[in-house]
Amino acid sequence: MRKWLFLLGCTALIWGMVAPAKARDKTDSNKTVYLADVQIDPVKRHVSGRITITFWPKDPKRAYIHLYPYAFTSEHKGTQWEQLLGKQPTLATYDSTKLSVDGKPVNAKRTGTILEVPLNLAGEEVSESVPINVAMDFELTLPYNDGRMSYDDHAIWLGNWLPILAVHDEKGWHLDPYEPIGDPFYSETADYEVDVTLPASYQLASSATDSTAAADTLGSGQKTHHLQANDVRDFALVIIDSTYRRMETQVGDTAVRTWWRNTDNVDDVRHVHEAAAASLEYFNSQFGTYPYQEYDVVRIGGSINGMEYPAMVFLDGSHFVLGGENAAATVVHETAHQWFYGLIGNDQVQEAWLDEGLTEYATLAFLSDLYPLIGAERVRKRLTYGTIVPGYVGSHLRPWQALGAFPESQSYSDLVYSRTSSMLWLLREAWGEKRLHEVLRRYVEKYSLGIADAEAWEAILSEEAGEDAGAFMGYWMKLDMSQQEKAAAWLEKQRKTPEK
């Protein structure tokens, strides 16, 4: 997500801007499958449906499901929430009903946005080798805000809207609340089949390959779109009216589609679209081929700046009206997220720097290659903010910490984005672009469609360097000042090591 990067740019200048066992290399063959049948009324901003989640249980007693829309059914106070939602948000209504496990009704316990679902009904033994089906109905009236799930007069955008199974790994269940800062999500790849029924006069863009999706026209003036997306971490959806237009460019096997409104500035739209297509092509060449057939860049309302989802990203309307260098940088950053978050998953709550930092480095690399003047200024800014540490050391803040530990957006931006990308930029200067990008390519290949963590990344660096990178990571990511000299010596030795 790029909202905090945008805030940083505004405070300075508008632009000027061998792996551990715990890291899972690939997704299991036993993937979770989501089947949803959804009805959407764009006028009433109402969504209802039923979802069935088929999964192989890792806990014999219970499963947990994230119901993120509940976060918007009550008021939130504080600067961080205001920055996310805007000054005059309205509340959502949300309800989940008719919950069943393998067809048997069950009572679940909800705490905030987490639903605890009992699995061992009547003491029955639950086996990890036998899949379980959890089904529920849900009903949502959309909130109005500046964030990931809202609406305006021409569109409904649905990010993190479908019920989604919480991750269970060697640390147990990950049941983090919805935080106002960063991206409070952690998910594994799954297959989605989503039937969406809406008025036939509306269009949609989603994480599926929409252009080849079957659709049935109903006698009631409705149309049902049969959407399918495999090996994705989430399923995002935007419903758009007839004011929307589309630009499309083929990049390898992927159709890059930019959705905009007829009131937008066509030159700004073209600028965004060309940056999206060019960056996708660049990242294909540097980090590995993008596996999805479509990549949608969708203009929404609000002021979220940019938000990544599998095979699509949201960009707020300022990029299509005001344009400028920030618009290109935002779409490039979100496109890089298709690799670092999309293909390689991570715990974005506990280790936000891992996807955001690598994504921002990739953004710097692209801009420096294709727009050298813009890239140089952005690198300068990142290095400036990423190396100012005394105040953060005294406040016990660091990049490698949970989202809830960041007191405001500036520290989050400085540490998660700037410091991490600065670390990688200095490593690039030591190793050279080619060598660093070969390391990133191997990282993508090893963990694509799976989950990586900080230890996995540190192991990759250590393997490439030929010596332990712990001090280097400790200084840069944990702000351990006792490691500063060792980290500098490690980096200096890397400068003197011939490129492989």
Side-chain angles (χ1 to χ4, degrees):
M1 179 182 176
R2 285 262 319 177
K3 189 164 188 176
W4 312 121
L5 288 176
F6 178 67
L7 292 171
L8 168 65
C10 289
T11 59
L13 294 168
I14 287 289
W15 223 89
M17 295 193 41
V18 181
K22 66 192 297 184
R24 285 155 285 160
D25 294 1
K26 299 288 182 181
T27 185
D28 306 301
S29 58
N30 294 339
K31 285 186 296 183
T32 299
V33 176
Y34 296 85
L35 301 178
D37 188 1
V38 180
Q39 297 77 45
I40 299 178
D41 186 331
V43 176
K44 296 181 179 179
R45 286 100 185 199
H46 184 265
V47 180
S48 62
R50 182 168 181 80
I51 189 167
T52 300
I53 308 174
T54 302
F55 62 98
W56 278 255
K58 297 179 182 178
D59 181 333
K61 295 182 178 180
R62 62 186 65 84
Y64 291 93
I65 296 173
H66 291 286
L67 301 177
Y68 290 121
Y70 273 119
F72 307 105
T73 60
S74 58
E75 292 186 3
H76 300 283
K77 302 295 184 180
T79 302
Q80 292 181 11
W81 281 106
E82 184 175 308
Q83 288 175 341
L84 175 66
L85 302 178
K87 294 184 180 297
Q88 295 181 316
T90 63
L91 298 181
T93 64
Y94 189 77
D95 198 14
S96 53
T97 61
K98 298 183 180 178
L99 183 70
S100 65
V101 175
D102 287 339
K104 300 177 182 179
V106 297
N107 294 317
K109 176 184 177 182
R110 182 176 67 87
T111 303
T113 60
I114 300 294
L115 190 70
E116 181 181 347
V117 182
L119 300 182
N120 58 334
L121 307 179
E124 298 174 3
E125 184 177 350
V126 173
S127 171
E128 293 186 10
S129 62
V130 179
I132 281 180
N133 296 304
V134 172
M136 73 173 73
D137 291 357
F138 62 92
E139 189 168 2
L140 165 68
T141 300
L142 281 162
Y144 178 78
N145 58 51
D146 285 345
R148 305 174 180 93
M149 183 191 304
S150 189
Y151 63 89
D152 63 12
D153 290 340
H154 302 287
I156 287 174
W157 50 98
L158 296 167
N160 310 102
W161 63 292
L162 280 176
I164 187 170
L165 189 68
V167 173
H168 185 284
D169 58 19
E170 65 286 338
K171 296 178 181 178
W173 288 102
H174 290 258
L175 308 177
D176 303 291
Y178 199 110
E179 299 279 0
I181 197 167
D183 300 333
F185 314 116
Y186 180 23
S187 57
E188 296 176 306
T189 52
D191 291 348
Y192 285 81
E193 293 184 23
V194 183
D195 288 350
V196 179
T197 300
L198 67 159
S201 59
Y202 284 82
Q203 309 172 80
L204 58 76
S206 77
S207 293
T209 306
D210 306 309
S211 61
T212 59
D216 299 326
T217 300
L218 309 179
S220 58
Q222 304 278 300
K223 180 180 286 188
T224 299
H225 302 260
H226 304 286
L227 308 177
Q228 183 170 348
N230 295 334
D231 295 323
V232 295
R233 298 189 187 281
D234 202 345
F235 188 92
L237 175 67
V238 184
I239 306 301
I240 53 182
D241 69 9
S242 61
T243 65
Y244 270 80
R245 304 290 182 264
R246 189 180 76 232
M247 284 188 183
E248 185 168 329
T249 298
Q250 191 72 22
V251 176
D253 294 330
T254 303
V256 179
R257 312 196 307 171
T258 299
W259 297 87
W260 52 289
R261 297 178 187 173
N262 57 16
T263 54
D264 293 334
N265 185 301
V266 177
D267 290 337
D268 290 334
V269 173
R270 186 173 294 107
H271 185 59
V272 167
H273 178 71
E274 290 174 351
S279 59
L280 190 82
E281 184 173 24
Y282 176 84
F283 299 139
N284 270 342
S285 70
Q286 299 299 305
F287 308 135
T289 304
Y290 191 61
Y292 307 118
Q293 294 181 348
E294 280 181 9
Y295 173 50
D296 289 304
V297 177
V298 186
R299 188 252 209 246
I300 63 168
S303 60
I304 199 168
N305 201 40
M307 181 65 204
E308 72 277 3
Y309 289 102
M312 75 180 309
V313 297
F314 299 170
L315 265 62
D316 72 47
S318 65
H319 302 83
F320 298 84
V321 177
L322 302 177
E325 295 164 350
N326 185 64
T330 301
V331 75
V332 170
H333 180 96
E334 304 308 340
T335 303
H337 264 306
Q338 297 299 307
W339 279 259
F340 306 113
Y341 148 77
L343 295 186
I344 303 179
N346 66 289
D347 186 343
Q348 296 177 285
V349 177
Q350 300 297 326
E351 297 176 341
W353 65 268
L354 189 56
D355 67 292
E356 292 293 359
L358 269 63
T359 290
E360 181 59 11
Y361 165 76
T363 304
L364 298 178
F366 169 81
L367 293 174
S368 297
D369 189 60
L370 272 78
Y371 306 100
L373 293 179
I374 296 173
E377 177 60 15
R378 191 174 185 85
V379 169
R380 182 195 66 77
K381 286 182 61 180
R382 286 298 174 204
L383 290 173
T384 297
Y385 286 97
T387 54
I388 298 175
V389 298
Y392 292 132
V393 172
S395 301
H396 303 288
L397 297 176
R398 57 193 183 277
W400 196 340
Q401 65 183 20
L403 292 180
F406 291 96
E408 30 62 40
S409 59
Q410 189 66 54
S411 60
Y412 178 74
S413 179
D414 287 351
L415 295 172
V416 170
Y417 293 81
S418 293
R419 187 157 181 84
T420 310
S421 59
S422 294
M423 176 189 72
L424 291 167
W425 197 262
L426 294 177
L427 191 57
R428 168 195 174 106
E429 291 179 346
W431 279 351
E433 178 192 85
K434 181 179 178 181
R435 184 176 173 188
L436 177 57
H437 287 198
E438 286 174 349
V439 172
L440 287 166
R441 178 184 284 270
R442 291 202 303 272
Y443 174 67
V444 171
E445 182 179 0
K446 186 174 182 63
Y447 296 107
S448 184
L449 302 183
I451 299 291
D453 58 17
E455 284 79 7
W457 174 247
E458 185 175 316
I460 289 276
L461 292 187
S462 297
E463 181 181 12
E464 176 64 23
E467 62 176 302
D468 182 45
F472 182 70
M473 289 285 292
Y475 169 67
W476 281 95
M477 294 297 95
K478 297 181 179 180
L479 283 187
D480 182 352
M481 302 308 290
S482 70
Q483 300 292 325
Q484 185 174 10
E485 291 186 4
K486 290 182 179 179
W490 185 92
L491 188 60
E492 184 60 27
K493 185 175 182 180
Q494 294 305 306
R495 289 194 179 96
K496 298 177 180 178
T497 302
E499 186 168 335
K500 295 181 180 181

